Structure formats: C-alpha cells, structure tokens
Amino acid sequence: MAVSRRLQFLLVLASIAVLQVWAATKGDVAAKNARLSALSLEEVDEQLQKCAIVQDLNAAKLEHSHETSTLLSGVFAVLFPGTPAVNALLATLYISGPPNFLLALCPTNIDPSSLSVMVAFAVGGLLGDTLFHLLPEIFLGEDTHESVSFVLVEPNRNLLLGVAILVGFMTFVAMDKALRIATGGAGHDHSHGHGPSADSSSASEGKSSAVEASGSKGPANRKKGGKSAAAKDDKKPTKEINPSAKLGGYLNLIADFTHNITDGLAMSASFYASPTIGATTTVAVFFHEIPHEVGDFALLVQSGFSKKQAMGAQFVTAVGALLGTVIGIAVQEFGGAGAGSDGPMGRAAGIWGTSLNWGDMLLPFTAGTFLYVGTVAVIPELLETGPHNGAEVRKTLVQFAAIALGAGIMLFISWHD
C-alpha cells in the first residue's frame, strides 16, 4: 500500500516536471518567434551577411565586379545631387519645364497625328522603364555593388504589391472612362490622334462637302446662288468653334492636371526606391511628355484657345506634377518604414501583417499607371492603318524601330547600372 502511494506520488511529480519543461519550451519558442517577427528586413540581411558562405559570395562578387564611373552615371550625379526629396523635385522641374517651353516653337496648325513616331518612342521608354526597372525593383529590390542580396519571399506581400499595380491601372481606366462619358465618347487620348475637336471638325468638313455636292448639280444653281453665296462667305467668321469642342478642351485640361499628379507621384516613389530607378523614370517620363504636351497644345488650339492661352494652360496643368511630387514625398516621409517610431519596422508589423508600409505602395501604383499609358492609351493609335499598304508597312517599321530604341535605352541604362 505504501509502495503504491509512493509510486503515485512519483508519477505526479514526473508529470508536473514534464508540464513545466513543456511550458518552458513553448514559452521559449513563442519568445523566439516574437523576436524573429520583430526583426526588420534590414536586420535580417545584416545577420545573413555574417554567414561564412555569404561572405565568400561577397568576396567573389567584388573580385569579378568592375564598377566604373560611366559618363551616364556622372550626368545623373550632376542632375540629381541631393536627397530623394530634393531629387524628386528637381526631376519634376526637368519633366515639366522644357516640354512646355518647346511649345513656343510649335506652329498652331500642327497635326497631332504627325507625332506617331515620337509617341512610339515614348511607348518604348515607358514600357522599358516599367519592365526593366520598376517591376524588378518592386518584387526583388535593388542590387548593390558591394554585396549579394537575398529576397525573403512573402506571398501576402507580393499579393499586396500586385493589388497596388492593379489599382494604378484601374485608376487610369476610371479617369479615361469618366472623360469619355463627359465628352460624349471622346476620351483623353495620350497620342492625341482623336478627340472632340477632331470629331467636330470632321463633321463640319462632311457638312461642307455635302453642301458643295448639292450646289454643283447644275450650272443654273451656281449662277443663281453665286452672288448670295459669296455674300454669305464674306459675312461668315474666319473660325467657328463648336461649343462641345470648347468643353472638350477644358475637360482635357482637367485630365492633364490629374495625369501630371501621377507623374509627380512617380518621381517621388522612384527616387525613394533608388537613385537609378529615379533617373530612368525621369528619362522615360520626359520623352513621354514631349509628344503629350505638343498633342495637348494642338488640341487646345483646335478648341479655340490662342497660342498664348494654350501655353499658359499647359503651364497651369504642370503644377499638378509638382503637387503629386509633394504628396509622394509626404507619404514617403510620414508613411514609410520607421516613420513615427524609434527603430526599424518589424517584418510583420506592416500593412496586414507584411513588411510593407504605405510608402512602398507608391511604386507599384506608378507601374500600373505606366502600363496603362504605354498600352491601352497609346497602342490603339499605333495600330491604326490607312488605305495605302506600302506606306503603312514603312510607317509600321519606323514605329517598331522607335519602340525598340526607347526600350533599348532603358535596357542599356539598367544593364550598365
């Protein structure tokens, strides 16, 4: 009896000891997991750099790397010498100032469709910047010359980045759709081959041709109506602007202002990502802005604006780019990693348990807008063909060469970074 009680007592003590060990082990695991979750991505990378195999990889990379200061990197260093915020503001001035000053050299009767080669070049630049720079930076990060880099795969992080790209794309879809509804079907065409003014002018041409056809049925009609027609022509104003075309011009200015805000967001997001991404994005947006501004200028003139009024309106819309840059800088400074805290943000302390902060969402949003502008907004214009097959084949080859040149410049910059 005494032996059985003693065994029972020993079993109870053993059970308590096992429970204590289990509780302590569980507590240690929970504490370890909490400590790992509190580590930022930068701290994780710092720990990885201490591993022997990683140090060997770094030594091999330094041995085979031949980083040299190229002319292009020197030019970028001169153009963008400051902090990300200062560089973003400088880039906004570069993409807004020169294209608007070029309008002084543009004739008022310029045909927007003649800009197709420049538009094709801009398409190559935008798509090249998106595919070669923005998307790799968004999902993989920026490479460094001194050490190898590792990517911690977070499925939910990648999903949120994809959502931000989709939001940027659909934002421009909504803008374009709203403008088409407001103008009765004519949207804000970035290549400016079409528009409300073009529709109204073609309609007026159709009416005039119909009048000429009806007036040329017989010599009697010409004799009887000759004097009265001449008198009417004398009284007719030199240029009559359709009210819908005038409205289309003002709506186009609103769309331009909104579009320029996204350009400013692109400047701030790219420079806060890395100096190289910022520089290449500036180049891509700059070459896109030249045909964009010239096309808008032609559209405003067709809508009844004088040359000075059209130039002034374009300078007003350029303020949107500066506004977008300031908004982007504010988001990066106050919504970025570590903003409002004493240390770096843990890898699970960001948006919805990921390592993302709101500043990280600007770059994928920009990529989404660039995808829309470079495809949906411009490609339909490049796909249009005329009745002369030979001329269209030559025109297509030139456009494809321009697209390849624009994308090739972006690839060259990225390859030699």
Side-chain angles (χ1 to χ4, degrees):
M1 193 72 174
V3 173
S4 62
R5 288 181 178 177
R6 191 174 299 171
L7 289 175
Q8 290 177 356
F9 180 71
L10 291 175
L11 288 173
V12 171
L13 290 178
S15 300
I16 293 174
V18 169
L19 289 175
Q20 289 177 341
V21 171
W22 176 80
T25 304
K26 186 177 180 181
D28 292 341
V29 172
K32 184 178 181 180
N33 289 337
R35 187 171 64 255
L36 291 176
S37 298
L39 288 175
S40 66
L41 294 180
E42 292 78 8
E43 291 171 336
V44 171
D45 185 71
E46 183 179 349
Q47 294 296 324
L48 287 174
Q49 296 297 328
K50 297 178 181 179
C51 297
I53 182 64
V54 176
Q55 292 178 351
D56 292 340
L57 291 173
N58 290 339
K61 184 175 183 178
L62 288 174
E63 182 180 353
H64 292 89
S65 65
H66 46 278
E67 181 183 0
T68 57
S69 178
T70 63
L71 176 62
L72 194 61
S73 61
V75 170
F76 286 158
V78 172
L79 293 176
F80 308 109
T83 63
V86 173
N87 291 340
L89 291 172
L90 288 174
T92 304
L93 295 179
Y94 297 152
I95 66 170
S96 301
N100 279 284
F101 284 113
L102 286 176
L103 298 180
L105 306 177
C106 292
T108 56
N109 60 345
I110 187 172
D111 182 11
S113 63
S114 64
L115 303 173
S116 62
V117 176
M118 177 62 76
V119 169
F121 177 77
V123 167
L126 283 177
L127 292 181
D129 184 47
T130 303
L131 299 176
F132 304 149
H133 300 120
L134 296 185
L135 292 181
E137 165 69 23
I138 289 168
F139 290 102
L140 299 177
E142 183 77 1
D143 185 31
T144 59
H145 297 286
E146 296 81 13
S147 61
V148 295
S149 301
F150 296 91
V151 178
L152 183 63
V153 178
E154 299 178 65
N156 291 340
R157 173 190 171 98
N158 292 337
L159 288 176
L160 288 179
L161 293 173
V163 168
I165 294 173
L166 180 61
V167 169
F169 188 91
M170 293 306 298
T171 298
F172 265 43
V173 172
M175 286 171 49
D176 199 356
K177 186 68 174 179
L179 189 62
R180 289 175 187 272
I181 294 173
T183 56
H188 180 235
D189 190 352
H190 285 71
S191 54
H192 300 285
H194 308 284
S197 58
D199 295 339
S200 61
S201 61
S202 61
S204 62
E205 288 174 4
K207 291 179 181 179
S208 62
S209 61
V211 172
E212 290 174 1
S214 64
S216 60
K217 289 182 179 180
N221 290 339
R222 286 197 298 269
K223 290 179 181 178
K224 291 180 181 179
K227 293 182 179 180
S228 61
K232 289 181 180 179
D233 288 339
D234 292 337
K235 294 180 181 179
K236 187 178 180 180
T238 57
K239 187 176 182 181
E240 184 177 352
I241 302 301
N242 192 312
S244 63
K246 191 77 172 179
L247 175 62
Y250 284 113
L251 290 175
N252 186 76
L253 287 176
I254 296 174
D256 250 356
F257 186 85
T258 309
H259 172 81
N260 287 339
I261 290 178
T262 62
D263 285 343
L265 292 174
M267 293 300 100
S268 58
S270 59
F271 274 103
Y272 273 88
S274 77
T276 302
I277 299 296
T280 55
T281 301
T282 303
V283 173
V285 173
F286 177 81
F287 285 119
H288 165 69
E289 281 300 307
I290 293 177
H292 186 120
E293 295 295 334
V294 174
D296 283 337
F297 172 77
L299 185 60
L300 291 176
V301 171
Q302 293 171 4
S303 301
F305 286 70
S306 67
K307 185 173 183 177
K308 289 184 178 180
Q309 290 173 337
M311 290 182 61
Q314 290 298 92
F315 272 103
V316 171
T317 60
V319 177
L322 185 61
L323 176 62
T325 303
V326 173
I327 293 174
I329 291 173
V331 172
Q332 295 286 353
E333 292 291 339
F334 301 105
S341 62
D342 296 332
M345 184 184 70
R347 62 183 182 86
I351 303 173
W352 291 349
T354 67
S355 59
L356 290 171
N357 55 69
W358 291 110
D360 295 329
M361 306 300 279
L362 282 182
L363 199 61
F365 178 87
T366 297
T369 62
F370 279 14
L371 285 175
Y372 181 86
V373 174
T375 55
V376 179
V378 177
I379 293 297
E381 172 70 15
L382 300 181
L383 292 177
E384 291 185 355
T385 57
H388 306 291
N389 294 338
E392 288 302 322
V393 169
R394 289 191 297 270
K395 180 180 177 182
T396 300
L397 292 176
V398 173
Q399 290 174 342
F400 272 63
I403 293 175
L405 178 60
I409 291 175
M410 295 296 106
L411 180 62
F412 176 83
I413 295 175
S414 179
W415 194 274
H416 290 80
D417 171 39

